[in-house]
């Protein structure tokens, strides 16, 4: 969804929920009740608010975040310099690959940036070769060498 | 994928779309998998311990919350100090991802930091803060604003 919520869509409790649950969620039989307590809510209240936050589009996901690399798979950030007149065609070609998880147009000579996610490390090079042969364009690979932080720390 | 057995993979498949919004979500998942609640919790805890699950948490929709500008800031920093500098930049509360990546013939930048804000001006201000922190260790920098989301799918576990 590409709509910004109105200022009054969230109250202070909603914001506290978003800020707190970005940090983590307990692995106990009744996790909503446990997470609700420090927020001064009941488990039921928390579930109701989370349901609403999801319905209005304030959240994109709630649950475990998996590390594809730790699972034996691989991620790679890739970029291409696409001639503007071919952009939409190339975007459709690239997006058709199920390995492409995200794809963004950006202001730069390298104007298409996408993330590949594959089950096996060798899948990255194979997918890049197929994209190159279908588009006739070079795919530059920028794999992660070191990660300093990954997370969402948005102040809601 | 030897790090995961069949049961791990079933637990992942059952939770990668999100946790049920119900009093006992792990029991609900257990039911669908013919496991016990304790088994599901133990599997998730073990995968979290092993780093396969980074965390169980909520992902706010940046855009809906007004963070409509996002820029990929990129920095050409002294290689010998890149790790130390990356740690400093990654610790800033307005940086959501920070990575060291290889340079390429068409690309001189080695440090990437994603910046989010309510406007491009706000993102530019954040970029200036990083510029000042890097000082003489930064030879060049740029920022690539996204102009269009072409594709965005949740990450799915795949065999391919």
């Amino acid at each position: 969804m590409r709509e910004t919520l109105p200022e009054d869509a969230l109250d202070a409790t909603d914001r506290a929920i978003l800020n707190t649950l970005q940090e983590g969620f307990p692995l106990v039989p009744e996790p909503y009740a446990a997470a609700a307590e420090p927020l001064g809510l009941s488990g039921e209240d928390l579930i109701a608010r989370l349901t609403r936050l999801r319905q209005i589009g304030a959240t994109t996901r709630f649950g475990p975040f998996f590390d594809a690399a730790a699972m034996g798979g691989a991620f790679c950030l890739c970029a291409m310099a696409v001639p503007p007149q071919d952009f939409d065609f190339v975007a459709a070609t690239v997006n058709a690959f199920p390995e492409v998880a995200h794809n963004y147009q950006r202001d730069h000579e390298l104007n298409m940036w996408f993330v590949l996610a594959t089950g096996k490390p060798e899948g990255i090079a194979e997918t890049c070769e197929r994209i190159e042969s279908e588009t006739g364009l070079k795919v530059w690979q920028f794999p992660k060498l070191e990660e300093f932080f990954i997370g969402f720390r948005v102040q809601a | 994928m030897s790090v995961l057995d069949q049961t791990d993979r079933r637990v992942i498949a059952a939770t990668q779309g999100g946790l049920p919004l119900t009093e006992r979500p792990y029991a609900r998942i257990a039911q669908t998998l013919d496991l016990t609640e304790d088994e599901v919790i133990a599997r998730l805890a073990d995968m979290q311990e092993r780093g396969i699950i980074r965390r169980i948490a909520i992902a706010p929709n940046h855009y809906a919350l007004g963070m409509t500008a996002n820029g990929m800031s990129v920095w050409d920093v002294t290689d010998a100090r890149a790790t130390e500098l990356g740690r400093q930049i990654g610790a800033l509360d307005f940086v959501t991802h920070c990575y060291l990546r290889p340079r390429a013939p068409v690309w001189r930048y080695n440090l990437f930091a994603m910046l989010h804000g309510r406007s491009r001006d706000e993102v530019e201000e954040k970029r200036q803060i990083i510029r000042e922190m890097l000082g003489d260790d930064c030879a060049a920098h740029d920022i690539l604003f996204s102009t269009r989301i072409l594709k965005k799918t949740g990450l799915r576990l795949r065999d391919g």
Side-chain angles (χ1 to χ4, degrees):
Chain A
M1 99 158 217
R2 294 294 278 173
E3 293 293 319
T4 302
L5 291 168
E7 275 296 312
D8 60 359
L10 306 179
D11 66 16
T13 305
D14 292 326
R15 291 175 193 279
I17 290 169
L18 287 171
N19 291 334
T20 309
L21 294 193
Q22 283 179 69
E23 303 300 326
F25 188 67
L27 264 169
V28 295
E30 296 187 11
Y32 293 100
E37 205 188 322
L39 293 161
L41 297 170
S42 71
E44 263 176 48
D45 291 337
L46 179 58
I47 289 171
R49 283 186 180 261
L50 287 171
T51 305
R52 179 180 164 273
L53 288 170
R54 185 171 67 185
Q55 279 164 356
I56 64 173
T59 58
T60 52
R61 244 187 123 253
F62 174 62
F65 284 79
F66 296 97
D67 182 336
M71 292 192 288
F75 268 130
C76 189
L77 178 68
C78 299
M80 293 166 88
V82 182
Q85 66 275 16
D86 300 335
F87 197 88
D88 287 346
F89 166 74
V90 173
T93 305
V94 170
N95 288 351
F97 283 83
E99 294 85 355
V100 175
H102 313 267
N103 190 0
Y104 288 86
Q105 182 172 10
R106 294 192 181 276
D107 271 343
H108 191 270
E109 193 189 329
L110 290 176
N111 54 358
M112 186 181 289
W113 290 80
F114 52 92
V115 173
L116 294 181
T118 61
K120 293 174 189 145
E122 56 271 28
I124 300 292
E126 287 165 11
T127 307
C128 288
E129 277 167 30
R130 287 167 59 210
I131 292 174
E132 287 180 342
S133 80
E134 285 195 25
T135 62
L137 298 169
K138 170 78 183 164
V139 175
W140 297 99
Q141 296 178 42
F142 299 101
K144 161 177 97 176
L145 299 177
E146 210 171 328
E147 176 180 301
F148 303 109
F149 181 77
I150 177 164
F152 299 88
R153 287 177 298 189
V154 175
Q155 204 57 33
Chain B
M1 284 201 224
S2 55
V3 293
L4 297 172
D5 69 15
Q6 271 316 106
T7 307
D8 290 331
R9 290 160 101 22
R10 290 168 64 223
V11 171
I12 291 170
T15 56
Q16 65 187 354
L19 285 185
L21 288 167
T22 182
E23 195 184 346
R24 298 179 68 166
Y26 307 117
R28 174 72 63 86
I29 293 159
Q31 254 172 16
T32 69
L33 298 177
D34 207 16
L35 297 171
T36 66
E37 182 182 41
D38 284 348
E39 282 172 311
V40 168
I41 290 176
R43 290 277 173 173
L44 290 169
D46 178 60
M47 287 193 274
Q48 198 158 19
E49 184 95 352
R50 292 193 285 151
I52 290 159
I53 294 174
R54 290 170 179 281
R55 67 205 194 300
I56 301 174
I58 204 162
N61 180 343
H62 289 95
Y63 201 96
L65 297 179
M67 308 291 273
T68 53
N70 87 79
M72 183 172 76
S73 72
V74 292
W75 308 86
D76 175 0
V77 302
T78 316
D79 284 304
R81 302 229 313 131
T83 296
E84 182 192 340
L85 296 167
R87 286 194 188 122
Q88 287 173 26
I89 305 305
L92 294 169
D93 63 6
F94 52 81
V95 172
T96 54
H97 309 266
C98 185
Y99 297 104
L100 185 66
R101 299 186 186 277
R103 304 171 196 273
V106 294
W107 186 258
R108 65 184 298 178
Y109 309 103
N110 56 346
L111 193 62
F112 289 57
M114 283 303 307
L115 307 178
H116 296 266
R118 290 173 194 279
S119 65
R120 286 196 179 193
D121 284 350
E122 190 184 316
V123 172
E124 285 289 0
E125 282 169 26
K126 292 170 174 173
R127 180 186 175 200
Q128 268 316 309
I129 294 172
I130 295 179
R131 177 69 195 92
E132 281 160 31
M133 280 179 69
L134 292 174
D136 292 343
D137 285 307
C138 174
H141 60 111
D142 198 355
I143 187 161
L144 282 69
F145 282 102
S146 69
T147 51
R148 198 154 43 122
I149 297 178
L150 303 168
K151 184 175 185 182
K152 189 165 189 171
T153 53
L155 193 73
R156 298 282 158 172
L157 183 65
R158 295 174 45 81
D159 290 321

